[in-house]
Amino acid sequence: MIPAGRRHDGGDMRDDTARPVSIFREFLDGEAAGGIILMGAAALALIVANSPLSETYFAALHAYLGPLSVSHWINDGLMAVFFLLVGLEIKREMLDGQLSTWPRRVLPGVAAAGGMVVPALVYVAINRDNAAALSGWAIPTATDIAFALGVLSLLGNRVPASLKIFLTALAIIDDLGAVIIIALFYTSGLSLAYLGAAFAVIAVLAVLNRMRVLTLVPYLVLGVVLWVLVLKSGVHATLAGVALALTIPLERSPGISHDLEHSPLHRLEHGLHKIVPFVVIPIFGFANAGVSLAGVSLAALVEPLTLGVAAGLVAGKLVGVFGSSALAIRLGLADLPANAGWLHLIGISLLCGIGFTMSLFIGLLAFASDVALQDAVKVGILAGSLIGALLGAAVLLVAPAAGEADGADEG
């Protein structure tokens, strides 16, 4: 993170508190509210899937609307909009936001790397003798920013604002890692013709960007074409959203003034900030969190696949995020977030074990043809995410309130 007292443009931060609420602050608020709604959607899905309505619930998801089932429209179509927003946020933060300078990238970048590598290793260690399960190694590497910020919002101002920014920056880098993992490891049966056509559309989008075409209409129309081509190419269709996002122009205002309304990227991002957390993600959560718990026993919870996911999310994230962050801080590569202590960092590391949305998504890709394994993954994700949320909240509740962290902890 950027050293205390300095802005990303090199200026003094003493008057920052007097500035208007930033787009980043709006993002935090929106994601926190969306996380609470997502919790409700997931809980409702579990209730419905274990009620007399379960047969109707699962039948509706497998019903076809045109060429795709309802489940595929949600996971391939609606989630492309989610990935579009992810791509926009990654581009904005890397070029003109909280990750725009190397000092700001160090701590969340190191934490995100540790938080992806260690959970994967935990999962593989537990499933090393289960060849069929090894393809799910990436499931516990993800962090659900909406859920995690939703939990933070319930803690109020006991949590320093710097930790919320750190968690969001970490999750954005984590999302970038997840996108790369999906592209590299969960793509099969490529059609070179459709893939070539998709790259041609991306090239046209890049030309529009270079020509400084600032209206969103041509980008969005070509984005729909791109989605269809990627869907047919064998690459997961949601990656079309990321590719489109990277071609949307970002017009940065000079100096420290940010006129957000004139940039196509900011306009689209603002437009999606209500649709994605309050519509797209809750629908995805409701459609995919439903799993029948009939017959689920303690023995089922310690099956290697389920245990690997849960342990990866809880223990893996704690060791990976906290361990790598502590190492970077002790080596002098980064500082603790402002007004935060080591206990706060442990709490945030545990909250990173909430892997709901992206973990579910990767699990569906890893075991696309085996519903039983998908259900085992869902149980592991729900258990791990719940444990991570409860432990993280408990640690943050006993940690010193914002501004009270021991000064020695900040070294």
Side-chain angles (χ1 to χ4, degrees), residues 256-329:
I256 63 172
S257 174
H258 293 263
D259 188 355
L260 305 179
E261 298 305 317
H262 294 303
S263 170
L265 185 146
H266 284 110
R267 293 202 310 271
L268 181 56
E269 188 179 6
H270 273 288
L272 294 176
H273 262 158
K274 299 300 180 185
I275 296 173
V276 170
F278 298 117
V279 178
V280 173
I281 296 304
I283 290 176
F284 173 82
F286 180 74
N288 292 285
V291 56
S292 176
L293 299 179
V296 175
S297 61
L298 184 60
L301 292 176
V302 295
E303 285 293 322
L305 177 55
T306 303
L307 181 61
V309 172
L313 287 172
V314 180
K317 284 290 187 180
L318 174 60
V319 173
V321 173
F322 180 77
S324 58
S325 298
L327 182 62
I329 292 167

Side-chain angles (χ1 to χ4, degrees), residues 175-198:
D175 283 343
L176 176 60
V179 168
I180 294 171
I181 287 172
I182 292 169
L184 294 179
F185 299 101
Y186 295 104
T187 292
S188 61
L190 290 178
S191 167
L192 295 181
Y194 281 112
L195 192 59

Side-chain angles (χ1 to χ4, degrees), residues 213-285:
V213 175
L214 301 183
T215 179
L216 285 169
V217 173
Y219 293 98
L220 297 180
V221 171
L222 287 172
V224 173
V225 175
L226 178 62
W227 178 82
V228 173
L229 294 172
V230 174
L231 176 67
K232 292 180 174 294
S233 73
V235 177
H236 201 273
T238 52
L239 297 182
V242 179
L244 173 62
L246 299 181
T247 67
I248 303 296
L250 172 62
E251 295 290 306
R252 286 185 289 177
S253 301
I256 63 172
S257 174
H258 293 263
D259 188 355
L260 305 179
E261 298 305 317
H262 294 303
S263 170
L265 185 146
H266 284 110
R267 293 202 310 271
L268 181 56
E269 188 179 6
H270 273 288
L272 294 176
H273 262 158
K274 299 300 180 185
I275 296 173
V276 170
F278 298 117
V279 178
V280 173
I281 296 304
I283 290 176
F284 173 82

Side-chain angles (χ1 to χ4, degrees), residues 27-331:
F27 167 71
L28 290 175
D29 294 340
E31 288 293 321
I36 295 172
I37 293 176
L38 178 56
M39 294 178 201
L44 181 60
L46 278 174
I47 293 171
V48 172
N50 292 277
S51 75
L53 296 173
S54 61
E55 188 174 337
T56 303
Y57 169 79
F58 291 112
L61 290 175
H62 292 96
Y64 270 75
L65 291 177
L68 300 175
S69 68
V70 171
S71 179
H72 277 101
W73 278 117
I74 293 171
N75 296 334
D76 293 359
L78 276 183
M79 286 300 283
V81 180
F82 165 75
F83 275 81
L84 171 59
L85 180 57
V86 167
L88 293 172
E89 288 166 350
I90 290 171
K91 180 174 180 176
R92 171 176 54 78
E93 293 301 330
M94 294 297 285
L95 296 181
D96 196 34
Q98 293 296 325
L99 301 173
S100 59
T101 62
W102 282 109
R104 289 186 170 208
R105 295 171 186 164
V106 172
L107 187 59
V110 168
M116 297 184 78
V117 172
V118 178
L121 293 176
V122 170
Y123 178 93
V124 170
I126 294 175
N127 287 276
R128 62 187 180 279
D129 297 323
N130 186 0
L134 286 178
S135 61
W137 63 270
I139 295 170
T141 64
T143 294
D144 191 302
I145 185 172
F147 245 129
L149 288 175
V151 173
L152 280 185
S153 72
L154 298 177
L155 300 177
N157 56 12
R158 286 196 59 83
V159 180
S162 62
L163 281 181
K164 298 176 184 179
I165 294 174
F166 167 68
L167 175 60
T168 305
L170 185 160
I172 288 172
I173 298 173
D174 186 278
D175 283 343
L176 176 60
V179 168
I180 294 171
I181 287 172
I182 292 169
L184 294 179
F185 299 101
Y186 295 104
T187 292
S188 61
L190 290 178
S191 167
L192 295 181
Y194 281 112
L195 192 59
F199 276 114
V201 172
I202 293 173
V204 173
L205 287 165
V207 169
L208 292 177
N209 183 304
R210 294 289 295 177
M211 293 175 62
R212 298 177 62 83
V213 175
L214 301 183
T215 179
L216 285 169
V217 173
Y219 293 98
L220 297 180
V221 171
L222 287 172
V224 173
V225 175
L226 178 62
W227 178 82
V228 173
L229 294 172
V230 174
L231 176 67
K232 292 180 174 294
S233 73
V235 177
H236 201 273
T238 52
L239 297 182
V242 179
L244 173 62
L246 299 181
T247 67
I248 303 296
L250 172 62
E251 295 290 306
R252 286 185 289 177
S253 301
I256 63 172
S257 174
H258 293 263
D259 188 355
L260 305 179
E261 298 305 317
H262 294 303
S263 170
L265 185 146
H266 284 110
R267 293 202 310 271
L268 181 56
E269 188 179 6
H270 273 288
L272 294 176
H273 262 158
K274 299 300 180 185
I275 296 173
V276 170
F278 298 117
V279 178
V280 173
I281 296 304
I283 290 176
F284 173 82
F286 180 74
N288 292 285
V291 56
S292 176
L293 299 179
V296 175
S297 61
L298 184 60
L301 292 176
V302 295
E303 285 293 322
L305 177 55
T306 303
L307 181 61
V309 172
L313 287 172
V314 180
K317 284 290 187 180
L318 174 60
V319 173
V321 173
F322 180 77
S324 58
S325 298
L327 182 62
I329 292 167
R330 288 305 188 193
L331 291 177

Side-chain angles (χ1 to χ4, degrees), residues 7 11-19 256:
R7 262 196 328 248
D12 196 292
M13 287 185 65
R14 286 173 296 181
D15 63 343
D16 276 8
T17 55
R19 291 189 296 161
I256 63 172

